[in-house]
Amino acid sequence: MQKRRLGQSSLEVPPITFGCNVFGWTADEKTSFALLDAWLDAGFNFLDTADVYSRWVPGNTGGESETIIGRWLKARGNRDKLILATKLGIEMAPGKKGLSRRYMQEAVEASLRRLQTDYIDLYQSHRDDPDTPIEETLSAYADLIKAGKVREIGASNFTADRLAESLKVSTEKGLPRYQSLQPQYSLVERGEFEGPLEDLCLREKVGVIGYYSLASGFLSGKYRSKADAEGKARGSRVEKYLNDYGFGVIKALDEVAHRYEAKPGQIAIAWLIARPSVTAPIVSATNLEQLAELVGAATIELDADSIAKIDAASKPR
């Protein structure tokens, strides 16, 4: 498998990232262990999670995903085979949020404890914190790197202006640099990333590991009517795509998928992999069948005509 360098970092990653937000939500611990085993067996080793996953589930408090990964790591004894990414900054409890030095020191220890590891390969600011000076945040990251608790750092959900400002502070102050960006990016959510943000990432060589790569499952082709979405865990998230535009994108994916003897979701991921700015799109699966389909996307190389067809159908409106 062709590995890709994440930004200008020391990390070489496969072309797809496994999103572990489903652990403790739509995948229980047993299922999560099976998915992680299969992911590694397929030759992939990049995992992305966050401390806040999956606090939104009734009865959860956050940390569930990290805890499951930590138990799997302990059971398998394979930490050295993985590139492990997690995030901090979104509220975990009253007063526990943001990117201040004090909170970052607390949050990293909690994540390391849940993950049952001594270090995090890629530690990411989950959300910008305008109330904390950028230099304070980057200095705190410098301390974590010096202590051996973090290898590289990344940003998530940053605007182009704030990411550019952060990169400038890194250069001027000799502080760690955000080597990756995690934006929302898929064929039906192109507007937020394409433009100034994508241009900045290309110019500054910032790696991109976009989330919601399949738009909460819509681009897999399994939601073709409102009835398909009813009662599903992500049903409410795909409703906004159940329109002429969304169905037009699915039609283009269907046509290209037929040409490649593939599934629509595989083509949607292959389109992202082919994007020059993208390093490794994040995908999730809740069963082994879905996982096998996602893995297959890494072997598909779309030709220029197929990319143009998908581009035309998915152009932001």
Side-chain angles (χ1 to χ4, degrees), residues 2 6 21 27 37 51 66 69 118 122 137 151 156 186 296 313:
Q2 188 71 35
L6 186 64
N21 62 318
D37 287 338
D51 56 6
E66 288 184 334
I69 294 170
D118 297 327
L122 179 67
T137 298
R151 291 179 64 193
S156 177
S186 73

Side-chain angles (χ1 to χ4, degrees), residues 212-229:
Y212 286 168
S213 298
L214 288 177
S216 299
F218 174 73
L219 294 170
S220 70
K222 65 182 178 181
Y223 300 105
R224 295 175 184 260
S225 69
K226 289 187 178 180
D228 291 337

Side-chain angles (χ1 to χ4, degrees), residues 131-275:
D131 296 325
T132 299
I134 291 172
E135 186 174 347
E136 177 181 338
T137 298
L138 296 178
S139 293
Y141 275 128
D143 291 344
L144 296 179
I145 291 170
K146 185 177 181 180
K149 296 175 181 180
V150 172
R151 291 179 64 193
E152 304 284 358
I153 66 170
S156 177
N157 299 303
F158 273 47
T159 63
D161 287 346
R162 288 289 284 178
L163 179 58
E165 192 175 347
S166 296
L167 296 174
K168 182 181 178 184
V169 171
S170 295
T171 300
E172 292 179 347
K173 303 294 183 179
L175 294 169
R177 185 178 195 272
Y178 286 130
Q179 298 290 0
S180 64
L181 175 71
Q182 191 172 141
Q184 179 176 197
Y185 189 43
S186 73
L187 281 169
V188 287
E189 295 285 358
R190 296 177 62 176
E192 180 181 314
F193 175 62
E194 293 181 17
L197 197 50
E198 183 177 35
D199 293 344
L200 175 66
C201 289
L202 285 167
R203 187 170 64 250
E204 295 289 339
K205 295 182 171 58
V206 174
V208 175
I209 49 174
Y211 65 89
Y212 286 168
S213 298
L214 288 177
S216 299
F218 174 73
L219 294 170
S220 70
K222 65 182 178 181
Y223 300 105
R224 295 175 184 260
S225 69
K226 289 187 178 180
D228 291 337
E230 289 177 3
K232 301 293 175 61
R234 295 176 180 79
S236 61
R237 299 186 183 190
V238 303
E239 285 181 3
K240 61 182 175 179
Y241 308 126
L242 302 175
N243 50 42
D244 289 344
Y245 169 68
F247 293 135
V249 175
I250 294 296
K251 182 174 183 290
L253 289 175
D254 282 339
E255 292 173 0
V256 174
H258 180 73
R259 190 182 307 170
Y260 283 85
E261 297 183 349
K263 300 288 182 65
Q266 292 177 314
I267 300 301
I269 296 167
W271 181 88
L272 286 169
I273 292 172
R275 191 87 179 172

Side-chain angles (χ1 to χ4, degrees), residues 111-128:
S111 284
L112 290 171
R113 186 168 56 250
R114 286 188 292 262
L115 290 165
Q116 301 195 48
T117 184
D118 297 327
Y119 67 97
I120 295 163
D121 295 292
L122 179 67
Y123 204 28
Q124 302 159 95
S125 300
H126 204 161
R127 183 182 291 163
D128 187 19

